[in-house]
Each structure stands twice: as structure tokens, then as C-alpha cells.
Amino acid sequence: MSTAVGRYRRWHVDSRVEVEEEGWLITYLDVITLILVLMVVLLAFAGPGKGKDGQEAQAQGPSAHASGPVPGAPYPGGSIVPPAVPPTSPEAPAASAPAPTPKTLNGLPLDQLGADVEIVMTDDAVRFRISSEILFESGAASLATGGLPVLDRLIPLLNSDPSLRLVVEGHTDGVPIQTERFPSNWELSTARAAAVARYLIERGVAPQRVQASGFADTRPLGSRDNPVDRVHNRRVELTMERAPSSTAKAR
């Protein structure tokens, strides 16, 4: 038996099944992936193509901005506010975002008015909003010395278009006042508006353009109970707008 077993072991060869290796497939997929990544990178560097419309827009661009607006003349559509120049940065805001405030009005800079003047623009009016804390002492209607330079910076803009009416509005907070001179906030807000209007007229603004009104605390910008909002509610607003007669003629 031992001799037979030995012969069997000597001459018998076990059959082995060769397993097909798939390592080449992984290498192939890696190569395809690298090619795709390379194509994406090349397309990103190439950027969007310029069509016919884009070329025409570039050709018309310089001529469209060659001539600026004439100071005092109305802008397209009857607006007194100059159209905002769209930004050229790649990160420009979407079309639905509000237009930025123009830097000039009738050729005069708006960014030199300082942080004490808030500018609110609409198609029909330009509103300059100044805190009463700058122009007046508490409970007083006499212009403070520190507020005069703020008004002086506004005068060139207010005179830039004599055809526009200038409305001066006085606003107070909801805290009651009762003095011999000011029985209520109505008298205080009206006296403050009149003081600002009188100062502007003394500095060259045509009196026939000026209208002064007091609104007490009837038109607050914020809450009447919040101390921070009450500071914003105490203000003087100067609005340049078209007179109703000129608006009716334009229509």
C-alpha cells in the first residue's frame, strides 16, 4: 500500500483553476477618469464663448456712456434720480436685487455728504434724512452750531435743480412735551422744520421753492417704545421733488 500511495503522489498532479485577474480594468478606469478631469479643467479655463450679441454689446458700450447727463435736466422716464451704472465685477448682483444708490446727483457727488445724512432715492424724489440730535438741542428749535456744516454741505445739491420743490419736514418721537413755547410735539416739529427752511433760504435757496411742515410723531421710522428707534424717529427730512403743477404738465 505504501508503494502504491507513493507512486500516486509522485505522478498525480492536482488541477488548479486559474483565476482571471482584473487589475487592468481598474487601471483603465483611472485613465478615463483623469481624461475627464482634464477636459473639465480645460473648459473652465476657456470660459464662456462670445456670441454675436455679446460682440455687439461691447461695440455699443463706449458710445452709450460717452455723454453724461446734463445737470438740472430730467433723466429718461421723467425721473429726477440718475440711473445707477451696473457693476462690471464678475460677482455682480442678480437682476432682481435693488439698484445701488448713484454716486452723483446732477453732476454733484453724494458720497461727500458724510455719515450724518441718510439718502433715500425714488423715481420722483430725493430725500435727505438728518437726525434731530445733530441739528437741535433736546426740546429746542434753534439750530445747533454743530449741525450747520451738515446743512451747508447740502445747499449745492439743493440748488442743483431750481425747478424742483424743496419740502422740509420736522419729525419728533412719541414722548410728550409741554412747555410755554411748545405745548405739544406738533409745535416743536413745525418750529424745527421752519428753522431749517429759514437757514437754507438765508444761504441762497429760493424761498418760492421751500415748504416747511411738522408731523410730530405721526410718521415714525421705527417703534415708539424702543429707545434706539426713538432716536431715528427724531429727524428732519429735506425732500427734492417735482411740484404737482410740473408733474401734471409732464403728463
Side-chain angles (χ1 to χ4, degrees):
M1 288 294 294
S2 59
T3 304
V5 172
R7 290 178 181 175
Y8 179 79
R9 291 179 177 176
R10 180 182 301 176
W11 298 106
H12 179 72
V13 178
D14 294 334
S15 59
R16 297 181 180 179
V17 179
E18 296 292 339
V19 179
E20 184 178 1
E21 297 182 358
E22 298 182 354
W24 64 272
L25 182 59
I26 297 176
T27 304
Y28 176 77
L29 292 177
D30 290 341
V31 173
I32 296 298
T33 303
L34 291 175
I35 293 175
L36 291 176
V37 172
L38 180 61
M39 292 178 63
V40 171
V41 173
L42 292 177
L43 290 175
F45 277 107
K50 295 182 179 179
K52 180 179 179 181
D53 295 338
Q55 294 176 354
E56 291 178 354
Q58 280 187 348
Q60 297 175 357
S63 60
H65 298 283
S67 59
V70 179
Y75 293 95
S79 173
I80 68 174
V81 179
V85 180
T88 58
S89 171
E91 299 179 356
S96 58
T101 302
K103 294 183 178 181
T104 60
L105 177 64
N106 295 331
L108 298 176
L110 292 176
D111 54 357
Q112 298 180 6
L113 297 179
D116 298 328
V117 180
E118 180 183 355
I119 304 172
V120 181
M121 287 191 167
T122 62
D123 289 338
D124 300 327
V126 180
R127 189 181 301 268
F128 303 98
R129 189 173 289 163
I130 309 172
S131 173
S132 294
E133 311 296 319
I134 301 172
L135 299 177
F136 303 98
E137 300 291 339
S138 177
S142 299
L143 284 170
T145 305
L148 301 183
V150 179
L151 296 176
D152 291 338
R153 289 196 297 268
L154 283 172
I155 291 177
L157 284 168
L158 301 179
N159 286 331
S160 61
D161 191 348
S163 65
L164 298 180
R165 181 176 62 174
L166 176 60
V167 180
V168 183
E169 300 177 357
H171 301 269
T172 65
D173 57 20
V175 179
I177 183 174
Q178 188 174 4
T179 64
E180 183 178 356
R181 184 179 179 185
F182 307 117
S184 70
N185 281 320
W186 287 102
E187 288 80 8
L188 177 61
S189 62
T190 303
R192 287 179 169 179
V196 173
R198 184 169 58 252
Y199 180 82
L200 296 178
I201 293 172
E202 292 173 355
R203 293 300 184 273
V205 178
Q208 62 270 19
R209 297 177 51 205
V210 182
Q211 173 185 334
S213 303
F215 292 93
D217 61 332
T218 59
R219 299 184 180 182
L221 296 177
S223 172
R224 292 183 174 90
D225 301 327
N226 189 333
V228 177
D229 289 337
R230 284 202 297 265
V231 174
H232 295 295
N233 294 338
R234 298 191 296 266
R235 68 196 188 278
V236 173
E237 296 188 358
L238 291 77
T239 304
M240 296 173 61
E241 62 183 13
R242 297 195 183 279
S245 58
S246 64
T247 303
K249 292 179 181 179
R251 293 179 181 177

